[in-house]
Amino acid sequence: MPFVLTFGEIMLRLSTPGFERFTQAHSFEARFGGGEANVAVSLAGLGLPARFVTRLPDNDLGRSCRMELLRYGVNTDFITTGGDRLGIYFLETGAVNRPSQVIYDRAHSSMATIDAGMIDWDKAFAGAEWFHFTGITPAISEGAAKACLEAVHFANKKGITVSTDLNFRKSLWKYGKKAAEVMPDLVAGCDLILGNEEDAEMVFGIRPEPSNEDAKGYGSVCRQLMERFPRTKNIVITLRGSINANHNTWSGVMWDGKKIFRAPEYDITHIVDRVGGGDSFMAGLIYGMITWPADPQRALDFAAAASCLKHTIPGDFNLVSVREVERLMAGDASGRVQR
């Protein structure tokens, strides 16, 4: 059965209990997470075969990480072993007017020391129908960027659909190259681009151009991205309104070159965990585009609903079923006990 392949870094996530600050915490809750791994876990939970490719250290943390992926049904056959350590990120969950904070500790990680030629892409891609990566992976190191570009070129050669989440992280671009220098070659090979207005501006210098028909300029960002990257068939922009750390609105728009589609807006009033929200949207969108290729509106609606539910789940992974997502799409947001 065809599968979706994702490539990137998975990290140990250490978060403070509840809403404690870093400066007051005496313990941390350990989980695993990372953009492309989050997408793979979400897809597996939705019933689509998913394969995650990365590089892990040959120690118990690396083995524990692999076991966690297997627990959720993700194929790990092409995870390579090497390097000295697993990357870590520390999370302090914000509340009300205090934002969440993330501190990365991923320098010299196994994934940061990967390079082109370390993955047998011919075997890893055998039977794949979709490949996904994020802008975080090429930000980790020059070697990771080269390996990612190698994967994109291979997927293009084999006719595999390629998607990216631009995911600009300024704090990660430390190896002497800027996102604007590296990302264009990678994105040029993509069939679907996900991002937001800030990503488009920070990476490509593309700014919204509001008009009478498009008050906030979302359509103009989509059109400019498609003009810059003509291979792309769909541009998707996530729309997050942040009332405070616990209360967001959430939606998205998609441009297919002819028409703008817009998902319903969800009012998420009591966020449990918003980390991985964009990844859950991407996974929902991939599921929708594969399941209903002729119905982009339904695919977009599914992505928004799946991601809305992610905000209610602790950890990076979106552990929801298709039935739960479709129930929310049908308007059942009551949260009533299911018996």
Side-chain angles (χ1 to χ4, degrees):
M1 185 177 181
F3 61 88
V4 177
L5 185 149
T6 72
F7 173 63
E9 182 168 37
I10 185 168
M11 295 167 287
L12 178 65
R13 162 180 155 158
L14 297 177
S15 52
T16 59
F19 297 98
E20 288 188 7
R21 306 218 67 182
F22 287 135
T23 52
Q24 68 181 133
H26 294 284
S27 65
F28 290 89
E29 182 180 62
R31 298 177 185 266
F32 294 102
E36 296 88 349
N38 298 343
V39 171
V41 170
S42 295
L43 287 170
L46 295 171
L48 275 183
R51 175 175 293 172
F52 178 58
V53 177
T54 191
R55 190 168 185 246
L56 295 176
D58 184 16
N59 59 31
D60 282 348
L61 281 179
R63 284 184 281 278
S64 178
C65 185
R66 188 190 293 258
M67 289 167 63
E68 185 77 348
L69 292 165
L70 289 169
R71 174 189 177 195
Y72 291 112
V74 175
N75 181 293
T76 63
D77 290 351
F78 292 90
I79 289 179
T80 187
T81 302
D84 298 324
R85 61 175 299 237
L86 189 69
I88 303 171
Y89 85 90
F90 296 86
L91 173 66
E92 175 189 289
T93 302
V96 194
N97 304 117
R98 174 173 59 83
S100 297
Q101 291 191 71
V102 169
I103 297 175
Y104 290 117
D105 176 17
R106 56 203 298 182
H108 311 295
S109 69
S110 293
M111 185 60 190
T113 52
I114 200 171
D115 209 338
M118 288 187 178
I119 305 294
D120 187 338
W121 294 113
D122 189 45
K123 291 182 179 179
F125 273 115
E129 64 177 314
W130 195 294
F131 172 59
H132 176 70
F133 71 97
T134 77
I136 294 172
T137 298
I140 297 170
S141 67
E142 188 166 12
K146 289 178 179 178
C148 195
L149 185 60
E150 186 179 53
V152 170
H153 286 167
F154 191 93
N156 290 164
K157 181 180 177 181
K158 294 294 184 179
I160 296 166
T161 301
V162 179
S163 62
T164 188
D165 182 342
L166 296 178
N167 254 343
F168 178 71
R169 300 287 186 271
K170 182 179 179 180
S171 63
L172 292 180
W173 290 91
K174 296 179 177 179
Y175 61 89
K177 290 191 177 181
K178 297 180 180 179
E181 299 175 76
V182 176
M183 289 299 291
D185 286 344
L186 289 159
V187 178
C190 293
D191 301 285
L192 186 151
I193 301 170
L194 174 72
N196 57 38
E197 311 97 299
E198 182 181 358
D199 293 329
E201 181 172 353
M202 298 303 293
V203 180
F204 303 117
I206 291 174
R207 297 179 175 85
E209 297 174 351
S211 65
N212 292 334
E213 297 79 22
D214 182 18
K216 295 188 177 180
Y218 304 133
S220 73
V221 171
C222 293
R223 285 189 288 272
Q224 290 177 74
L225 280 168
M226 194 168 282
E227 288 170 3
R228 178 84 179 268
F229 302 105
R231 176 193 174 93
T232 305
K233 301 173 183 65
N234 294 282
I235 309 287
V236 184
I237 295 179
T238 52
L239 306 176
R240 184 186 293 277
S242 186
I243 291 89
N244 61 45
N246 307 106
H247 183 187
N248 290 182
T249 58
W250 185 244
S251 182
V253 297
M254 178 163 63
W255 167 253
D256 67 357
K258 298 178 182 178
K259 181 180 178 180
I260 283 276
F261 300 89
R262 179 158 186 159
E265 183 175 86
Y266 291 95
D267 190 30
I268 311 172
T269 56
H270 296 79
I271 294 173
V272 172
D273 193 333
R274 62 162 280 182
V275 177
D279 303 321
S280 62
F281 190 102
M282 187 73 243
L285 188 62
I286 292 172
Y287 176 88
M289 298 293 279
I290 290 174
T291 307
W292 309 294
D295 194 346
Q297 183 66 64
R298 187 174 182 184
L300 183 67
D301 291 352
F302 187 92
S307 187
C308 174
L309 290 174
K310 164 61 194 78
H311 289 71
T312 70
I313 300 170
D316 274 43
F317 301 155
N318 191 23
L319 307 177
V320 298
S321 66
V322 172
R323 182 181 179 185
E324 289 173 315
V325 177
E326 291 184 333
R327 185 184 297 132
L328 180 57
M329 290 171 66
D332 184 358
S334 64
R336 291 171 62 92
V337 175
Q338 299 297 311
R339 295 187 174 91

